[in-house]
Amino acid sequence: MEEKGDTRGLGPDVIRVLRGEQSRAAFARLLGVTPLTVYRWELPEEAPQARRPRGRVAQALRRLLEGGASPTSPPSLQRQELRPEESAQLAPILARLKRAEWRAAEEELLALLASGVLRTPAARAQAAVGMAHVHRWGRGDSRSAFASLLPHLDEAASGVLPETLELQIHALAANLYASPDGKLFDMGKADAHVARAEALLASHDNPEMRCYLRIAELAGAFYLGEAERVARCAGRLAAVLPEVTDPVLRLVAEEACAHEATIRGESAQATRRFREVVEGSARLGYAFLEARGLAFLAQRRLEEACEPEEALRLVRRAREAAYSGRMARSFAFIFAARAEAEALLRLTRFAEAEAVLDEADAVVVELSWTPIHLVVPRVLLGLVTRRHAELRRYAGRLAAYDGPIQRELTGAYALFAEAMADFAEGHVARAAEHFAAASARVMELGGWPFLRRECLVYETGARAFAGQLTEGRVMLRRSRVFLERMPSAVHSAVLNRFEGMLLAMEGRPREAREQMEASLGTFRLAGDVCMALFTRHLLALVAGLEGDPAAEELLAASEAEMRRAGMAIPQDFTRALPRPLPAPTVPARPSKLGAEALVVPFERLSVRGMGAPLIQRELLGVLEGLFPGCAPRLEELDSQGRATLLAGPASVPATDEVEFGDGCGRRLRLGVTGPLPADGRALLTALSRLGGFALEVAMLRGFAEVEPPTALGDTESVRDMELPGFIAASPSMKRLRAELARLSASRATVIVTGESGSGKELVARAIHTLSTRAQRPYVAFNCAAVPRELFEGQLFGHRRGAYTGATTDHPGVIRAAHGGTLFLDEIGELPLEVQPKLLRFLENGEVFPLGEIRPVEVDVRVVAATHRDLGQLVREGRFREDLYYRLQVVPVRVPPLRERREDVVALARHFVRQLTPEGEEPPQLGPDALAALVAHPWPGNVRELRNVIERSMAYGQLPAVLGAEQMRIAG
């Protein structure tokens, strides 16, 4: 009975007495358990969640109760350390693991274990941890890793191993329970190991171990399909990543962040990060991560409308890397197969696509995993080949899925597949309702964005096919809004086609044709033969509506092409409409090359999700269509007017040229050769302006660079969009957050103004976090906290011996922020004599450290803040006018709290949660407390509000609901 844990004498009251004044988290750390466990011990006996101490912990508590140890002293544990000779033998092998030398490490570990020289349990456990790392992170084989680690989990729980080794075991176990294998995946157990590791980190802080824990949390959230939890976990991972030096671990973490960027809609940032992971893995010889990164990169590039052959090359590279690294057929294999199948579908190689999907389905079964990652290519295959019965059976399989992973989300995918089956059979009205039901179910489950995007776009198409024009227009608008947040060139092109159908049904065939031609142009550019054939068929139907005499011939030709490709002929959505439609009364058009001629080019250039090279090619393609034989070309101009050819022929001189900017500091020149129509120059100018706007949008969206960087870290990635502590409930703060997001790609100097305590430093941090410099240094310098005589050296740096007391070289805060952001707080306190040097730095990007004979160039973005009126300081002669105007490039005002009372409640609840001790349930704010908080004028702004909440929670045990009487608001 004692082994099971005698619970007599260890009731809730006794536990509370033993805990005393300690928080549950602190008490839990002493005992090696989680705060939740302590909370359950303190629950009444009859509570369903109540638990009693058992085993080793019960014995330790009895010793405390009997006076054998102080309640604030940890229980005695018989920990066995590694012998020096064992540590010496294991050290070089562990170093190999950090260099991703998996095969050599595995062979040496096996030889060491087989030799019998590892005599202590700690040494054998350390070797087992190393072997588990080889299996998990070297080959993606979670099951073998778990088999290696399992015998030592009990040792870690019993406290016989060194705490540093116990920490490694819990961190690895958390990742194994959060890995994509249905036999192992258990987020409850993963979270428990995370909690135990966190308790050990309190006395053995280790950035690498903390990073492993954050990766486990993020992976689990991703596999559960919980978008909001993914964002929160990514923020925690990003916070610890700068401290991590292990190159292998950094790559694994970067890959996890890339997935989060994909979910957030920052697809180009995700693409860039996956490229960096692939390149970094290749340099290290890390085949497992290289193969995974290539699989995910292929999927990302297909989203960006790359040609199918590019995706197939990436998949082939992924398979070669997986083979060379002796990888198990794991989760990455499923994504590689999905990308391969989608590329083959675009090339109308349907039999090959089906074989790939069948093989991937077998891996899904092996892993006991949910099939949702293969649903979209599978149902698209059934739709274009019109295999009604197979689609129905597949939808039924999804609906019957009873596995442990994402069961409810799989049910939502089943509704989507059912809708596609209706679509294929021609029951378009029923399909629309099923798409709507699937979309609603997704929102109930947290809004998984990938399925929601599919449902919105295809519901628009179903409404169009069904002739439900009003509902179709509503869905079209909703789809457009969603694609603004999660852009995709392919989905935008599909949506253009559906909009063309709606226009045709509304009796506007000319506009319908223009939309469909724009869609067709995108599909051709992306090499999507399947969707191009489908779109050409719809264009032939629209030609019939217009009374085109060649419509029948076009329709017959398109149907013959589709049959040769193995595609089913879609239903005639125009069958109920008269032919030709009555022509609307419009004024006579002066010429073909007028405003009408720009409609299709404008649609082609405004497709969302295209990268800069694709936009450039599209721009030249549009010109070739407008002016046949004009030999268009695009050049980039430097500050001296020298041209670098970007696209087009260089041999023939241009006869007409137009310069324009891309909104990101580049000057471009678009030129054509040969005679143009009378309005040709105006059209060329209009197209160049539109091209500039498209390139600017691509830059702001992060699509400007699609070529791989030369080295890991050559380009910055936008960090997680979650801004810890940035509460935006009021319209003014929401507008401010949107304004900060729009500034993300800019290098412009920002001046943040606002009253003391309003949150200026938080805004400065947000500007850095949202920017492309987010992974580079963020350095804060308070101009009001430095003695006047030290200002120059602190800001600009100094050489040793530059002045009395300068005993070492000091780079200065400006150089410390190189590549990142410098926050100059209270800039109004900057001494007048230092201001000219700061102005020179802002204008020339160089600093002159004390004791140096030449300036040093730096790349720093400056964000300054002040609560003072700089204009008044200028008038008083206490602040330089030229520096004032140099700082005022982008002014940002943070409104005081009294102007945004909607934020008071949200901020108060945030501070209550933040200030509640770990492991305890935060109290609620009662209606009278909220009313008192909202009514207060808050002269000290957010800082005062936080102090009030902290003061109110500092007085003893708190009730479950805080009322006005607990709110200690100063009069």
Side-chain angles (χ1 to χ4, degrees):
M1 287 296 293
E2 182 62 34
E3 182 65 27
K4 293 288 185 181
D6 187 354
T7 63
R8 289 172 297 175
L10 294 177
D13 294 337
V14 173
I15 298 297
R16 280 192 285 271
V17 169
L18 288 174
R19 181 161 67 88
E21 298 297 323
Q22 300 176 84
S23 68
R24 290 196 184 104
F27 191 60
R29 282 195 295 270
L30 291 175
L31 293 168
V33 298
T34 68
L36 178 61
T37 300
V38 177
Y39 170 74
R40 288 178 167 179
W41 291 343
E42 295 180 1
L43 288 173
E45 298 278 357
E46 63 274 9
Q49 299 298 319
R51 297 290 185 273
R52 298 276 69 83
R54 294 177 179 276
R56 175 188 62 83
V57 176
Q59 295 172 14
L61 287 169
R62 288 192 180 285
R63 285 196 296 272
L64 293 176
L65 188 62
E66 294 164 1
S70 166
T72 58
S73 301
S76 176
L77 298 174
Q78 299 297 320
R79 296 191 181 276
Q80 302 178 19
E81 301 293 334
L82 279 76
R83 295 174 179 172
E85 61 273 19
E86 294 173 326
S87 298
Q89 290 175 311
L90 285 166
I93 304 176
L94 300 180
R96 285 189 182 278
L97 294 177
K98 289 182 177 292
R99 298 193 298 269
E101 297 174 4
W102 308 108
R103 290 189 184 181
E106 180 183 24
E107 291 174 1
E108 292 175 15
L109 281 170
L110 283 172
L112 202 56
L113 286 166
S115 68
V117 299
L118 301 179
R119 308 301 296 271
T120 64
R124 290 192 292 271
Q126 183 69 77
V129 168
M131 190 65 72
H133 267 279
V134 170
H135 291 304
R136 174 65 184 93
W137 302 113
R139 296 204 188 96
D141 187 351
S142 298
R143 296 183 184 183
S144 295
F146 188 75
S148 297
L149 191 67
L150 182 60
H152 305 282
L153 288 178
D154 286 341
E155 292 176 342
S158 63
V160 300
L161 300 176
E163 287 191 342
T164 54
L165 179 55
E166 186 178 325
L167 174 60
Q168 295 177 45
I169 291 174
H170 286 308
L172 184 54
N175 276 278
L176 290 175
Y177 280 120
S179 60
D181 189 314
K183 298 294 185 184
L184 294 177
F185 188 84
D186 188 325
M187 276 313 295
K189 292 181 179 179
D191 288 341
H193 282 287
V194 167
R196 291 169 189 162
E198 291 280 13
L200 292 166
L201 280 169
S203 53
H204 300 279
D205 192 31
N206 184 316
E208 275 74 23
M209 290 299 106
R210 200 176 294 281
C211 186
Y212 275 120
L213 299 180
R214 301 292 83 83
I215 289 171
E217 291 173 336
L218 180 55
F222 179 81
Y223 299 136
L224 288 172
E226 298 177 358
E228 290 187 7
R229 184 175 176 182
V230 167
R232 290 196 302 272
C233 294
R236 300 182 71 191
L237 175 58
V240 74
L241 192 54
E243 303 176 52
V244 176
T245 58
D246 183 341
V248 171
L249 182 55
R250 283 191 65 86
L251 287 171
V252 175
E254 285 290 344
E255 187 206 48
C257 291
H259 286 295
E260 189 271 338
T262 305
I263 293 174
R264 198 174 61 239
E266 296 289 343
S267 52
Q269 299 297 337
T271 301
R272 192 150 39 231
R273 272 185 152 152
F274 281 129
R275 284 194 190 279
E276 292 172 355
V277 168
V278 168
E279 292 173 351
S281 302
R283 285 196 299 273
L284 281 175
Y286 191 176
F288 162 61
L289 202 61
E290 182 184 6
R292 278 205 335 190
L294 285 165
F296 296 130
L297 180 59
Q299 188 66 48
R300 295 293 341 124
R301 292 295 292 130
L302 285 169
E303 284 270 329
E304 296 171 2
C306 76
E307 294 189 356
E309 287 79 4
E310 178 187 339
L312 292 175
R313 285 195 298 271
L314 291 171
V315 171
R316 280 195 295 272
R317 286 176 57 194
R319 295 191 188 284
E320 290 167 3
Y323 180 78
S324 68
R326 298 187 292 175
M327 275 179 60
R329 294 207 308 178
S330 58
F331 190 68
F333 182 92
I334 298 171
F335 266 84
R338 171 176 173 159
E340 185 176 11
E342 288 188 6
L344 293 170
L345 279 173
R346 294 182 186 185
L347 295 171
T348 68
R349 292 159 60 178
F350 301 131
E352 295 173 70
E354 185 172 20
V356 169
L357 290 172
D358 287 343
E359 187 179 7
D361 271 330
V363 177
V364 169
V365 173
E366 288 174 16
L367 295 176
S368 303
W369 202 251
T370 171
I372 62 174
H373 303 289
L374 301 173
V375 171
V376 172
R378 179 71 78 177
V379 298
L380 286 177
L381 175 62
L383 179 67
V384 298
T385 58
R386 200 72 71 83
R387 300 182 190 175
H388 311 160
E390 289 184 20
L391 267 177
R392 290 281 178 209
R393 285 196 294 273
Y394 186 65
R397 279 176 49 202
L398 292 173
Y401 170 76
D402 61 351
I405 311 300
Q406 295 181 344
R407 186 178 305 171
E408 293 181 329
L409 187 57
T410 306
Y413 272 93
L415 287 173
F416 172 72
E418 188 74 22
M420 280 295 204
D422 291 330
F423 209 167
E425 290 180 354
H427 304 308
V428 287
R430 191 168 68 193
E433 297 307 318
H434 276 138
F435 283 128
S439 185
R441 186 70 182 123
V442 172
M443 293 306 295
E444 291 173 9
L445 297 173
W448 190 237
F450 305 108
L451 179 55
R452 180 155 168 74
R453 182 173 61 186
E454 302 292 340
C455 291
L456 288 171
V457 170
Y458 280 97
E459 185 182 349
T460 305
R463 302 287 183 190
F465 268 107
Q468 300 174 359
L469 304 185
T470 302
E471 296 88 342
R473 280 286 165 190
V474 171
M475 290 310 304
L476 179 67
R477 286 192 292 271
R478 291 174 63 188
S479 300
R480 292 283 187 209
V481 169
F482 191 85
L483 287 176
E484 290 280 345
R485 292 191 289 110
M486 198 171 184
S488 163
V490 172
H491 287 85
S492 294
V494 172
L495 199 60
N496 280 342
R497 187 176 67 202
F498 291 151
E499 183 177 5
M501 294 172 59
L502 284 171
L503 289 166
M505 301 289 284
E506 291 168 349
R508 299 152 66 184
R510 179 175 57 81
E511 297 172 69
R513 174 172 46 80
E514 290 164 351
Q515 282 287 345
M516 290 183 180
E517 285 178 351
S519 175
L520 179 60
T522 303
F523 289 133
R524 282 174 171 165
L525 195 66
D528 193 333
V529 179
C530 180
M531 289 295 104
L533 287 174
F534 193 89
T535 308
R536 276 206 294 270
H537 180 268
L538 296 179
L539 273 168
L541 293 176
V542 172
L545 291 178
E546 291 185 290
D548 188 336
E552 290 296 331
E553 183 179 348
L554 291 171
L555 189 61
S558 71
E559 289 180 355
E561 281 188 278
M562 294 180 78
R563 289 193 184 96
R564 281 195 297 272
M567 296 173 62
I569 308 301
Q571 66 185 57
D572 183 356
F573 75 98
T574 68
R575 61 187 180 278
L577 299 174
R579 285 176 171 76
L581 289 172
T585 304
V586 294
R589 295 186 294 272
S591 68
K592 184 178 180 182
L593 288 181
E596 180 184 350
L598 287 175
V599 174
V600 173
F602 271 45
E603 289 293 341
R604 289 175 64 178
L605 286 168
S606 60
V607 170
R608 306 213 179 268
M610 286 199 296
L614 200 60
I615 292 172
Q616 293 169 7
R617 287 165 49 198
E618 187 75 292
L619 184 58
L620 297 190
V622 164
L623 283 177
E624 287 175 339
L626 284 174
F627 312 122
C630 68
R633 71 180 179 199
L634 185 66
E635 301 166 303
E636 181 176 354
L637 305 175
D638 65 12
S639 59
Q640 303 301 316
R642 293 185 292 265
T644 300
L645 186 68
L646 297 179
S651 55
V652 183
T655 55
D656 264 297
E657 295 175 328
V658 175
E659 288 188 22
F660 64 100
D662 69 346
C664 309
R666 292 196 309 167
R667 294 299 297 172
L668 303 172
R669 184 165 65 197
L670 186 63
V672 294
T673 301
L676 296 178
D679 57 351
R681 173 76 182 183
L683 289 175
L684 186 64
T685 301
L687 282 172
S688 68
R689 297 295 181 267
L690 178 62
F693 290 137
L695 290 168
E696 182 175 2
V697 169
M699 175 62 185
L700 294 174
R701 288 282 192 186
F703 285 93
E705 296 176 20
V706 299
E707 297 301 321
T710 57
L712 183 64
D714 284 352
T715 59
E716 295 83 20
S717 298
V718 174
R719 293 271 290 278
D720 55 291
M721 293 295 291
E722 185 182 31
L723 303 175
F726 196 107
I727 306 300
S730 65
S732 60
M733 289 302 286
K734 289 178 180 178
R735 285 193 299 271
L736 177 58
R737 181 182 177 121
E739 183 179 345
L740 300 183
R742 288 194 295 272
L743 290 171
S744 61
S746 172
R747 292 185 55 187
T749 301
V750 180
I751 180 75
V752 184
T753 59
E755 295 179 3
S756 181
S758 58
K760 297 187 293 297
E761 184 169 358
L762 188 65
V763 168
R765 170 67 77 169
I767 291 171
H768 174 74
T769 302
L770 293 171
S771 74
T772 55
R773 298 169 176 260
Q775 290 186 312
R776 300 301 177 90
Y778 172 84
V779 179
F781 181 81
N782 191 326
C783 299
V786 178
R788 298 178 68 87
E789 62 273 16
L790 297 181
F791 249 109
E792 193 168 346
Q794 289 291 313
L795 264 179
F796 307 108
H798 58 73
R799 291 290 300 273
R800 188 176 68 172
Y803 57 87
T804 303
T807 57
T808 60
D809 290 348
H810 179 59
V813 295
I814 294 178
R815 281 193 288 174
H818 179 68
T821 303
L822 172 65
F823 174 49
L824 296 175
D825 199 8
E826 297 300 339
I827 190 71
E829 309 302 322
L830 191 68
L832 198 60
E833 61 270 20
V834 179
Q835 293 177 22
K837 292 194 72 171
L838 181 63
L839 177 64
R840 175 178 177 170
F841 156 63
L842 292 174
E843 290 181 339
N844 301 329
E846 56 185 27
V847 296
F848 219 121
L850 294 174
E852 291 282 3
I853 60 174
R854 61 176 61 88
V856 179
E857 290 189 0
V858 286
D859 173 24
V860 173
R861 184 188 190 178
V862 172
V863 179
T866 182
H867 72 282
R868 307 187 66 172
D869 184 351
L870 289 184
Q872 181 62 33
L873 293 180
V874 170
R875 289 188 290 274
E876 295 172 0
R878 298 161 59 192
F879 202 86
R880 290 179 62 101
E881 186 175 17
D882 48 3
L883 178 58
Y884 170 78
Y885 285 112
R886 189 61 185 80
L887 290 170
Q888 292 284 333
V889 177
V890 180
V892 172
R893 175 181 178 268
V894 183
L897 194 52
R898 62 181 174 276
E899 293 181 12
R900 46 184 173 108
R901 293 195 176 273
E902 299 94 331
D903 291 334
V904 172
V905 173
L907 283 165
R909 288 173 173 160
H910 167 73
F911 292 140
V912 167
R913 289 192 299 270
Q914 189 181 68
L915 296 168
T916 300
E918 183 182 352
E920 296 184 11
E921 188 70 18
Q924 300 297 310
L925 292 169
D928 55 340
L930 294 176
L933 292 170
V934 171
H936 188 65
W938 300 114
N941 292 294
V942 179
R943 184 182 296 123
E944 181 189 1
L945 174 58
R946 189 189 191 282
N947 290 342
V948 165
I949 297 299
E950 186 171 13
R951 185 163 58 243
S952 302
M953 296 178 66
Y955 287 84
Q957 191 71 26
L958 293 174
V961 178
L962 295 176
E965 66 273 17
Q966 279 87 29
M967 290 295 101
R968 298 176 180 268
I969 304 175

